[in-house]
Amino acid sequence: MGVPHLDSGPMRAEEFFAFTATRPDDEKWELIEGEPVLNASASRLHQTIIRNLTVMLDALARETSVPWEVLPGLGVRISDISVPVPDVLIRPATFTGVECNDMIIAFEVLSPSTANKDLRWKRKAYATLPSLRQYVVIAQDAVEVVSFDRANEFSERRFETAESVLDLPVIGACINLREIYRGTGLL
């Protein structure tokens, strides 16, 4: 039989999609600089925040018949060797496929295992997408949200009270942090 030859180079996006197609649906994989990364299972707080955010944004989209959609867990092709998966994204409402490269807002809920990657690598990687206007990072252990906006050269804006209002100007919306953290026990 011999030893099979393995390509030692970085995994490409097409190889990654073929690989993830064979994995169970409950696994969340990302391709980060050519390396497939399996994310840990999300906590209840993490999932509660994602649910709150998705429900609020989806309700807004339905009420106003906007030309964008809210999607959780969709891969974003940054390059041929990087396909990260934001927790929630907003993109134009004309989508088919397993990935996109045109998100306008990305949301990440920080987890102990992903905080460094989310705040450093993903922030820089997402900013390379010409379509991205805002990157929002949400803490799950405290009422704290940080927004990085293209209009401000991705400089940091912090929101740290339940009464704070996160503005999402590209979609004409504002979200009260109290609503993001509803049901988490952090209020």
Side-chain angles (χ1 to χ4, degrees):
M1 172 178 150
V3 176
H5 174 72
L6 295 177
D7 183 0
S8 60
M11 183 180 274
R12 311 298 257 181
E14 283 69 29
E15 295 171 276
F16 173 71
F17 293 128
F19 165 74
T20 57
T22 68
R23 305 302 310 155
D25 288 342
D26 62 341
E27 291 182 358
K28 181 182 174 186
W29 288 88
E30 297 180 287
L31 183 64
I32 306 296
E33 296 182 353
E35 293 295 323
V37 176
L38 175 61
N39 289 309
S41 295
S43 70
R44 184 188 82 63
L45 286 176
H46 186 274
Q47 295 302 81
T48 299
I49 292 168
I50 289 173
R51 181 198 65 218
N52 291 346
L53 189 60
T54 304
V55 167
M56 282 186 298
L57 292 168
D58 190 53
L60 177 65
R62 289 175 196 227
E63 289 170 10
T64 58
S65 299
V66 295
W68 48 265
E69 63 185 345
V70 180
L71 296 170
L74 183 68
V76 177
R77 188 183 293 229
I78 300 296
S79 71
D80 196 41
I81 61 169
S82 291
V83 184
V85 180
D87 288 318
V88 177
L89 64 81
I90 296 177
R91 61 162 315 282
T94 55
F95 178 72
T96 59
V98 296
E99 63 174 312
C100 77
N101 66 356
D102 60 353
M103 70 177 170
I104 55 178
I105 303 176
F107 298 89
E108 293 286 358
V109 178
L110 294 182
S111 299
S113 63
T114 65
N116 189 48
K117 177 178 63 175
D118 291 347
L119 288 169
R120 295 178 189 275
W121 187 86
K122 282 189 176 182
R123 182 175 56 85
K124 289 177 185 173
Y126 290 159
T128 66
L129 284 176
S131 61
L132 185 80
R133 296 291 171 251
Q134 193 168 1
Y135 177 49
V136 179
V137 179
I138 303 169
Q140 69 170 299
D141 59 352
V143 176
E144 186 174 3
V145 174
V146 178
S147 178
F148 302 93
D149 305 355
R150 184 174 297 278
N152 299 323
E153 299 178 7
F154 290 107
S155 60
E156 176 183 296
R157 291 185 305 134
R158 287 187 174 267
F159 304 86
E160 301 178 303
T161 68
E163 289 72 35
S164 296
V165 176
L166 170 67
D167 59 318
L168 305 169
V170 71
I171 62 169
C174 293
I175 300 174
N176 187 293
L177 267 60
R178 182 172 300 285
E179 296 304 314
I180 293 173
Y181 288 97
R182 181 178 301 285
T184 63
L186 295 170
L187 298 172

